[in-house]
Amino acid sequence: MEHASGSIRIVIINGSVRPGNYTSMASALVLHELTKHRQVTTEVIEPATLQLPPPGTDPQSAAAKHLQQKVGEATGVVLATPEYHGSFSSVMKLVIENLGFPSALSGKPVALLGIAGGTIGAVKSLEHLRSVVSHVGGLVLPLPISIANVGEVFDREGRSLDPGAEQLIRGVGTNLLTYIEQNVCPRVTLERLRREGQQVSPKIIAV
């Protein structure tokens, strides 16, 4: 589902296919926060709607190519995952495996959001996900957000019950946008000016 607005494109990928899952509830807050900004176009990718093949079976599948195109066109990416058996979900791993070699995540700023039903939160899943995303070339932002006791954070309709947790979740989107505005946009502008043969001022270089 795409929410069109501006020139910065952010893709949110959910790592759960369970009906009524908390991961999608959490990422919906990130989406809502991003849609407040007119310069941002957002798209949510739900793996349940794709037919991604198992790793190594069909790297040229239409679903994989579609996924690679969407992520490749993104300025930044949010990966949201539940914690399963001490790591991130197999659904998220399937997504990463279908992003090609080199990965469509390579060179992209990536914000991580983890949710868990227990009191410890999604610390282990975020540690593992950070490692894998970094390995394939993604630029993982610091301070990934882990939400513990997620069953107490949302009701069954997805409404937030915890203002503090909601603020943290919304911060995933704003932190990614801040990084893009401070680091990606100046570089893109500089590269465009150089392609067009325009003189680049020292002020732009210093941004």
Side-chain angles (χ1 to χ4, degrees):
M1 180 185 300
E2 181 171 327
H3 299 259
S5 181
S7 57
I8 296 175
R9 300 180 62 87
I10 296 180
V11 168
I12 300 172
I13 303 177
N14 289 320
S16 178
V17 296
R18 182 177 60 81
N21 66 82
Y22 290 115
T23 303
S24 296
M25 294 177 187
S27 71
L29 292 177
V30 179
L31 174 65
H32 182 263
E33 191 65 29
L34 289 170
T35 55
K36 295 178 181 179
H37 302 271
R38 295 177 61 85
Q39 75 273 34
V40 177
T41 296
T42 55
E43 182 163 4
V44 178
I45 295 178
E46 297 283 1
T49 66
L50 305 176
Q51 293 182 326
L52 295 173
T57 60
D58 188 7
Q60 302 301 318
S61 73
K65 292 297 184 184
H66 173 77
L67 177 64
Q68 292 166 24
Q69 178 184 357
K70 293 298 183 181
V71 173
E73 293 173 349
T75 316
V77 179
V78 175
L79 299 181
T81 182
E83 179 158 310
Y84 286 158
H85 304 294
S87 187
F88 59 94
S89 69
S90 58
V91 174
M92 184 60 71
K93 187 60 161 66
L94 181 63
V95 167
I96 294 172
E97 293 291 351
N98 276 277
L99 285 174
F101 304 94
S103 175
L105 284 174
S106 181
K108 304 282 183 184
V110 181
L112 304 182
L113 170 62
I115 63 99
T119 57
I120 297 176
V123 176
K124 289 184 178 180
S125 66
L126 291 173
E127 288 177 351
H128 295 171
L129 187 56
R130 172 191 288 276
S131 177
V132 172
V133 173
S134 297
H135 180 80
V136 300
L139 306 177
V140 182
L141 270 59
L143 303 177
I145 296 302
S146 168
I147 301 299
N149 297 316
V150 69
E152 300 174 8
V153 175
F154 297 97
D155 65 18
R156 298 310 301 175
E157 283 70 47
R159 291 184 293 261
S160 173
L161 304 173
D162 186 328
E166 178 176 346
Q167 184 177 5
L168 287 174
I169 294 168
R170 288 180 178 275
V172 173
T174 54
N175 290 343
L176 176 58
L177 183 56
T178 297
Y179 178 89
I180 290 171
E181 291 176 331
Q182 293 180 351
N183 297 277
V184 178
C185 292
R187 185 180 73 245
V188 171
T189 300
L190 182 61
E191 291 172 351
R192 178 179 58 79
L193 292 175
R194 284 174 169 166
R195 285 197 306 271
E196 295 173 353
Q198 299 184 36
Q199 184 175 359
V200 179
S201 73
K203 182 177 180 181
I204 292 178
I205 294 175
V207 170

